[in-house]
Amino acid sequence: MKINKIAMIGAGSWGTALALLLARKGCPVALWDRDTDHIEQLRRERENKRYQPGHNFPEVLEVTGNLADAVKGAECVVMVVPSHGYREVYRQIIPFLQEGVLVVSAVKGIEIDSGMTMTGIMQAENPDQKTIHLGVLSGPSFAAEVAGGQPTAVTVAFADPQAAETVQHLFSTDYFRVYSSSDVIGLEISAAMKNVIAIAAGICDGLNYGLNTRAALITRGLAEITRMGVALGGEPQTFAGLGGLGDLVLTCTGNLSRNRTVGLKLGSGLTLEQALSEMKMVAEGVKTTQSCYKLAAKLKVEMPILEQVYQVLYQNKRCEDAVSELFQRDLRQEVEASAG
């Protein structure tokens, strides 16, 4: 399929970085956002000074506040809006989607009420059963580094191999390498859950625990992510790849991680409200902790790190007590299907 127009739905840090990536290749991109003041600033200054300062917009990058104008005629639509507003925005664009369109979710979260991933939401919100190819793009990729042209590797997954290959070639550049996969659910669960584990990693760093603690947390966090993903039909090897282990390591260790930053603030003694008040951008892991906690209970999947993060965020549990409880759990074998 030839891609003549891409609609980028969401002009935050990640949406802008991906729009810049594509526009620098010469691909026509329509960048949309619901914030009219933000859109006017982007249109006037041809730069996203709020989220990605220092990167001028190429001529082929169009800025619009009209959702219909952004989506009409686009062969590829990239969704980069927060997970809690995803369903609402997607409902609005459905009438303007053309048959056979490729819709890529670049959002890392799970809807709280339904427990659905973003592709699950899109499948449920397709009343006319249009032919829409749904996929996800994820991997270890801080937006600022992508916008700055730093070498980065990610994965794109679609059930349809041809759709995956089309999007793979669309996004690939000499500094942005894209691998393909058919495991959509595995990639989505990895993307969502790694933010929860990153909050836990930040808490440990905020408590001044060492590198041993962080390594243990990442490893056991990966075990929890894998258990949930496999329970939902994901392929085990996905969780050892870029969208699984790769993204988890980056988010748990990188100073640009918003979710790790929330954890750092909590570990240093701030309340959740205080921590979030100091944040300029959305930390998806805070809401994802709620949705994953509910989903784990529904699936009857044991996820002790997730449980402790939930109690810290929503039940005012002391961070020190949460870590202590994890280490006082019953001893067991490491490699066991039900182990935690």
Side-chain angles (χ1 to χ4, degrees):
M1 176 192 294
K2 183 173 174 55
I3 306 295
N4 297 302
K5 177 185 175 182
I6 302 126
M8 191 67 60
I9 309 302
S13 180
W14 189 219
T16 301
L18 292 176
L20 287 167
L21 172 85
L22 294 165
R24 287 167 181 164
K25 289 183 65 175
C27 302
V29 180
L31 178 63
W32 173 89
D33 199 88
R34 67 164 71 236
D35 186 334
T36 54
D37 291 338
H38 184 42
I39 284 295
E40 283 306 312
Q41 179 263 314
L42 298 181
R43 186 182 289 122
R44 182 176 63 253
E45 299 177 352
R46 301 294 297 170
E47 176 187 348
N48 192 338
K49 291 185 176 178
R50 183 186 300 180
Y51 297 119
Q52 292 293 358
H55 301 292
N56 294 328
F57 289 177
E59 288 186 9
V60 291
L61 203 169
E62 172 196 356
V63 177
T64 178
N66 187 305
L67 201 52
D69 289 347
V71 175
K72 281 181 180 177
E75 294 89 359
C76 181
V77 176
V78 186
M79 296 288 292
V80 205
V81 296
S83 60
H84 58 269
Y86 197 101
R87 187 183 293 269
E88 177 194 347
V89 175
Y90 189 70
R91 280 176 176 168
Q92 293 177 49
I93 74 169
I94 288 173
F96 311 112
L97 293 175
Q98 63 182 32
E99 284 286 330
V101 65
L102 304 169
V103 183
V104 184
S105 168
V107 178
K108 301 179 178 182
I110 294 175
E111 191 175 50
I112 293 175
D113 293 337
S114 69
M116 289 181 175
T117 64
M118 301 304 104
T119 60
I121 290 171
M122 292 190 289
Q123 287 173 338
E125 292 292 338
N126 186 14
D128 299 327
Q129 294 303 307
K130 285 183 179 178
T131 302
I132 300 173
H133 301 287
L134 304 175
V136 56
L137 183 147
S138 187
S141 49
F142 285 141
E145 293 191 2
V146 173
Q150 294 291 327
T152 301
V154 301
T155 301
V156 62
F158 279 81
D160 179 355
Q162 187 174 353
E165 184 177 343
T166 299
V167 175
Q168 177 184 28
H169 285 278
L170 176 65
F171 278 89
S172 292
T173 73
D174 57 359
Y175 68 89
F176 195 78
R177 183 170 175 81
V178 184
Y179 290 82
S180 64
S181 169
S182 60
D183 187 9
V184 176
I185 188 67
L187 205 56
E188 286 191 288
I189 292 300
S190 295
M193 263 300 299
K194 59 93 183 179
N195 286 330
V196 179
I197 306 302
I199 292 175
I203 287 172
C204 290
D205 291 345
L207 291 169
N208 293 315
Y209 294 152
L211 300 179
N212 293 354
T213 313
R214 182 192 290 174
L217 182 73
I218 291 173
T219 307
R220 298 314 304 162
L222 181 61
E224 292 192 20
I225 295 170
T226 303
R227 278 202 296 274
M228 175 176 275
V230 170
L232 289 167
E235 297 292 335
Q237 62 266 30
T238 296
F239 307 100
L242 287 166
L245 179 60
D247 207 5
L248 179 64
V249 169
L250 179 74
T251 314
C252 287
T253 63
N255 291 333
L256 294 175
S257 168
R258 288 169 273 176
N259 295 284
R260 177 176 173 270
T261 298
V262 169
L264 276 169
K265 293 177 184 295
L266 294 170
S268 65
L270 296 185
T271 65
L272 178 60
E273 185 179 1
Q274 290 169 332
L276 295 180
S277 71
E278 296 180 359
M279 303 285 290
K280 185 173 73 170
M281 294 183 283
V282 175
E284 282 278 7
V286 174
K287 291 185 181 296
T288 300
T289 298
Q290 282 186 288
S291 54
C292 284
Y293 182 78
K294 290 182 178 181
L295 186 57
K298 179 181 178 182
L299 295 170
K300 294 183 171 53
V301 176
E302 187 182 16
M303 304 187 72
I305 298 173
L306 167 64
E307 183 177 343
Q308 293 299 328
V309 173
Y310 179 84
Q311 290 178 14
V312 169
L313 294 182
Y314 297 106
Q315 296 178 353
N316 297 316
K317 189 169 192 173
R318 292 175 69 247
C319 293
E320 295 91 339
D321 293 341
V323 177
S324 179
E325 278 196 31
L326 285 172
F327 275 80
Q328 291 175 21
R329 297 171 63 246
D330 291 342
L331 300 178
R332 59 187 65 189
Q333 291 182 334
E334 179 181 19
V335 181
E336 184 181 345
S338 61

